[in-house]
Amino acid sequence: MKKKEKRRWVAVLEITLALLWLISMALAGFFFPGFLMSLPVFKIKEIQIYGTNSIPPSAISSSVYQVSKNNWLFLDSKKLLAKANELTNNSLKDIKIERIPSLDGARVNVYVQERVPIAYVVHDNILMMIDGQGELFYNPAIENKLPTIYTFSFDYIKKHHNNLNNLVESIKDTGFSINEVYVTDRNTIIYISGGRVVLPPLSQISPLVFGRIKKIYNKIGTGKVDVLITSENMAVIKEEK
């Protein structure tokens, strides 16, 4: 009987100790973040922003404080990029963080890379910008003269952004500037300073078509013509009167 009572007493003690341990861990988890935030060494005393050209540094600083709660231990570059893009209409391509701690707080250096647009994109009266990686964003502070692309679908443009990027670069290489591009599921119509180019749908344009555009305009020179490229091997050229 004594052995059974002893075993029972030991079991009760083990259960009690386990419960006390769980409670202490829960309390520690609850109070520990607050404890960390109260220590000066973990606070952010200064923020320096590098790499901004058109985006206000205040938007980046605000993102830092919202993500970190003024504690540099909680800073994460991915979360900071997501928050900054939330505040800047997806205008940032990348963010890197450097922490320089001291006893009275840390200096945080934030290095940002802004998106560089290659064109405006319009769909259902919504104006956006697109960069070379196919990311849609809008930065009203950018005042570059860019071609305007009218499309039936933002998703279609994003899916075939490589062809769009190559198309823009091919036209630039000819010395002409792009004014407007109309993208449909049947064709791609480009209005340039040297006339008009009609191509297959953006999804069906191959590298051979880009090479053909360059060859045609190298032969034509600066004259205004309408160019219809129906396939990789066939092109119709009509001189404007």
Side-chain angles (χ1 to χ4, degrees):
M1 290 292 291
K2 289 183 178 180
K3 288 184 178 180
K4 288 184 179 179
E5 289 180 1
K6 186 176 181 179
R7 288 175 184 172
R8 187 178 301 168
W9 181 82
V10 170
V12 171
L13 180 62
E14 288 177 345
I15 293 172
T16 303
L17 290 174
L19 288 173
L20 288 173
W21 183 84
L22 289 173
I23 293 170
S24 64
M25 289 300 100
L27 289 173
F30 180 79
F31 290 108
F32 189 63
F35 173 71
L36 285 181
M37 292 186 72
S38 67
L39 294 177
V41 69
F42 295 120
K43 291 185 177 180
I44 297 173
K45 68 173 182 178
E46 183 182 0
I47 300 174
Q48 291 291 332
I49 313 296
Y50 300 93
T52 55
N53 295 313
S54 57
I55 294 173
S58 58
I60 311 300
S61 299
S62 176
S63 301
V64 170
Y65 283 116
Q66 289 185 49
V67 169
S68 68
K69 306 300 182 185
N70 200 31
N71 188 316
W72 60 266
L73 283 178
F74 302 148
L75 264 183
D76 177 81
S77 57
K78 289 184 178 179
K79 290 181 180 178
L80 179 57
L81 179 61
K83 175 55 69 174
N85 271 332
E86 184 182 314
L87 299 180
T88 62
N89 296 309
N90 200 33
S91 295
L92 292 173
K93 182 179 179 181
D94 193 26
I95 281 183
K96 288 183 172 57
I97 303 169
E98 180 185 24
R99 305 166 183 85
I100 305 174
S102 65
L103 292 177
D104 60 341
R107 171 180 170 177
V108 175
N109 295 331
V110 183
Y111 302 89
V112 304
Q113 185 178 359
E114 296 183 6
R115 297 194 189 280
V116 179
I118 62 170
Y120 292 106
V121 184
V122 179
H123 169 57
D124 279 349
N125 294 322
I126 299 173
L127 176 66
M128 299 292 289
M129 294 173 172
I130 189 168
D131 66 4
Q133 288 69 49
E135 287 290 337
L136 292 170
F137 67 104
Y138 186 70
N139 184 350
I142 295 178
E143 297 180 351
N144 297 351
K145 187 177 181 181
L146 299 169
T148 302
I149 299 165
Y150 296 89
T151 180
F152 66 97
S153 167
F154 283 134
D155 289 338
Y156 183 84
I157 293 293
K158 289 183 66 174
K159 184 177 180 180
H160 304 290
H161 72 274
N162 281 330
N163 280 352
L164 175 64
N165 196 23
N166 291 333
L167 181 59
V168 171
E169 291 301 318
S170 296
I171 299 295
K172 284 183 179 178
D173 289 343
T174 65
F176 293 101
S177 59
I178 301 175
N179 298 322
E180 294 178 341
V181 181
Y182 291 84
V183 174
T184 73
D185 57 351
R186 294 185 178 183
N187 55 32
T188 305
I189 304 172
I190 310 163
Y191 290 90
I192 64 176
S193 54
R196 182 180 66 164
V197 185
V198 181
L199 303 173
L202 196 60
S203 59
Q204 299 177 22
I205 300 177
S206 72
L208 292 175
V209 172
F210 302 131
R212 184 165 288 275
I213 291 173
K214 292 180 182 179
K215 288 180 180 178
I216 289 172
Y217 279 95
N218 284 337
K219 290 181 179 179
I220 293 171
T222 58
K224 282 198 172 186
V225 296
D226 282 349
V227 177
L228 171 62
I229 299 180
T230 57
S231 68
E232 296 174 355
N233 300 313
M234 183 175 292
V236 179
I237 302 173
K238 181 182 178 182
E239 189 173 350
E240 287 190 9
K241 295 181 181 180

